[in-house]
Amino acid sequence: MWQGHELFLSSLPKLVPYIPVTLLCFLAPTAVSLVLGTLICRIRVGRKNALYYITSLFVSFFRGTPGLVQIFLFFFGLPKVFELFGVNINGWDAVVFYIIATCCNFSSFVSEALRGAYEAVDKGQIEAGYSIGYTRFQCFYHVIAPQTLQIALPNLKNLEIDLLKGVATAYVIGAIDVMGAAQRIISQHRGYGQIWILLAAAALYFVMNVVIEAVFNFLTYICNRHERVRI
Amino acid sequence: MNLNYAFMLEDIPVVLSALPRTLGLTFCSLFFAIVTAVLFGICILKNIPVLKQFLIGLNTVIKGIPLMVQLLLCYYAIPYLLRAADGFLGYVYNPKNPSYFAFAVVAFAINYGAYMTDVVVSSYRAVERGQLDAAYSVGMTAFQGMFRIVIPQAVVISIPNLSNYFMWLLKATSLASVVNVFEILATARMSTANNYAILEGYIVAALIYWAVCVIFEKGLNCLNKKMSRYRNDIVVS
């Protein structure tokens, strides 16, 4: 078991170039989900019309099935859907399929986190916003959004960390991120010293997680600033 | 879309036959995760000097590493450990027939044990200190106060969090398909090996997961509602 430890150091520099791919797989769903999640949340806290039930079904499906299954579904299903319109997307990189699947998955989780936070915002705040003559947009921007974000941030932090760790599953459809590169090095060594190569990948993921956590702690610090001015 | 609907219908019972394995994996992992979490939690709550810091650091590391990596690490490393343990206490290492199920349980138990340690610690701390004092004041021993007063309340507090982790775990068991455990996802993939109807197999797997998750979520919500009666409006700061 203790053989091959030199592989730990020698595979680290080979894995580092794939960090940008991992970050892309992390940042793209984050950006899309913040928008899509907010929209879904807006629909789900509103009137119960057809759109409400469609998004509820969407959220229920993507929260109720494993991310791994969704990745496979998109990887094999999306080309068939595009085939109906005569578009061939079989040449797309696996990373793209991973990102699309994860966007759907993550935005449903984000929408639930935001919905919970929105419901925790005191409704009197919104009425107060209207009472001083805010328009709907102003009320959203100045009253609802800051408070919702503040409440949702701890939840969002956990979700983002899960998202980053979830990127490690992308290799099952052939996307080459840090984990995929590690698997590739393992097969180059014909399975020799897998443990050390995996530990190198684990170390990289850990460092990325620490950075993400620090970023979110900073965001929480900013969002809570109004609570600190009290004497 | 030109899907093989007839195959999907006849694939449902095949994939469904793997449901007990998925549930077995979930409940085994949950059990060992709770055991790990309680042991870790006791060490942290008892303030055992070096062990406490070590466990907190260990938990941070475990939480910072993807479950997939941990699963593969267990998959590759446990056979070495078992081989090293050959002959110890009469244990005979059998390299021909490794139990991948057990390896996966170890990985899930470690990962979720780290998460649940926080639940154990925080729900124990959420029980008011006065409760234990009250138990002493009516003449209970330390053991009685702990098992009759504090722990029942801590369990009630921890149930919403635990049910949350249970749902995560149920979905996370699909990762075990990459380490040769034939749960729902791996069975779905296997069942499509003859006719290349890969997408159909995955759709069936997704539908089964969805149904199972919805059922469990409803059941756990019921349980949470029932249990919330026993919570005397605890304010968790």
Side-chain angles (χ1 to χ4, degrees), chain A residues 60-61 63-66 68-69 72-73 76-77 81 84 165 168-169 171-172 179 183 194-195 198 205-206 209, chain B residues 1 60-61 63-66 68-69 72 76 80 115 171 174-175 178 185 189 199 202-203 206 209-210 213:
Chain A
S60 165
F61 178 77
R63 277 167 56 91
T65 53
L68 196 60
V69 177
F72 280 125
L73 274 186
F76 292 107
V81 175
L84 293 179
K165 290 192 286 178
T169 59
Y171 89 94
V172 293
M179 188 63 188
Q183 288 284 344
Q194 319 98 333
I195 298 168
L198 282 172
Y205 277 111
F206 181 66
N209 265 321
Chain B
M1 285 210 297
T60 316
V61 172
K63 282 193 237 162
I65 295 171
M68 184 66 119
V69 180
L72 286 169
Y76 290 130
Y80 286 104
Y115 281 101
K171 287 182 270 170
S174 67
L175 291 182
V178 296
L185 186 58
R189 192 183 304 145
L199 179 60
Y202 286 131
I203 291 175
Y209 270 118
W210 192 8
C213 278

Side-chain angles (χ1 to χ4, degrees), chain B residues 66-87:
Chain B
L67 182 52
M68 184 66 119
V69 180
Q70 283 173 22
L71 210 53
L72 286 169
L73 271 174
C74 283
Y75 176 65
Y76 290 130
I78 290 178
Y80 286 104
L81 293 176
L82 288 182
R83 198 170 63 192
D86 193 14

Side-chain angles (χ1 to χ4, degrees), chain A residues 7 14 48 55 65 67-68 118 121 166 189 213:
Chain A
L7 272 175
K14 287 184 205 154
K48 291 195 176 172
T55 48
T65 53
L68 196 60
Y118 174 80
V121 173
H189 288 86
E213 184 141 13

Side-chain angles (χ1 to χ4, degrees), chain B residues 14-87:
Chain B
V14 178
V15 180
L16 212 52
S17 69
L19 181 62
R21 183 151 282 216
T22 289
L23 292 181
L25 191 56
T26 312
F27 282 109
C28 276
S29 311
L30 188 74
F31 174 74
F32 285 109
I34 289 176
V35 170
T36 318
V38 168
L39 288 179
F40 282 18
I42 289 172
C43 291
I44 291 173
L45 286 169
K46 288 260 174 200
N47 269 327
I48 300 172
V50 182
L51 202 57
K52 182 191 173 190
Q53 283 77 15
F54 172 72
L55 286 179
I56 290 175
L58 187 69
N59 276 357
T60 316
V61 172
I62 291 173
K63 282 193 237 162
I65 295 171
L67 182 52
M68 184 66 119
V69 180
Q70 283 173 22
L71 210 53
L72 286 169
L73 271 174
C74 283
Y75 176 65
Y76 290 130
I78 290 178
Y80 286 104
L81 293 176
L82 288 182
R83 198 170 63 192
D86 193 14

Side-chain angles (χ1 to χ4, degrees), chain B residues 167-185:
Chain B
M167 297 307 296
W168 282 101
L169 184 57
L170 183 63
K171 287 182 270 170
T173 51
S174 67
L175 291 182
S177 64
V178 296
V179 290
N180 295 348
V181 178
F182 284 94
E183 38 69 76
I184 290 179
L185 186 58

Side-chain angles (χ1 to χ4, degrees), chain A residues 117-136 138-148 150-151 226-227 230:
Chain A
Y118 174 80
E119 276 162 8
V121 173
D122 192 358
K123 294 295 163 287
Q125 296 273 335
I126 300 165
E127 283 168 21
Y130 286 131
S131 76
I132 57 169
Y134 274 170
T135 62
R136 283 187 67 154
Q138 280 174 321
C139 196
F140 172 77
Y141 187 77
H142 292 291
V143 180
I144 301 172
Q147 298 190 50
T148 308
Q150 189 203 347
I151 299 170
H226 61 272
E227 290 189 351
R230 269 186 230 139

Side-chain angles (χ1 to χ4, degrees), chain A residues 146-167:
Chain A
Q147 298 190 50
T148 308
L149 262 187
Q150 189 203 347
I151 299 170
L153 257 180
N155 256 332
L156 283 181
K157 179 176 115 181
N158 286 342
L159 286 176
E160 295 280 353
I161 288 174
D162 263 353
L163 175 68
L164 180 65
K165 290 192 286 178
V167 180

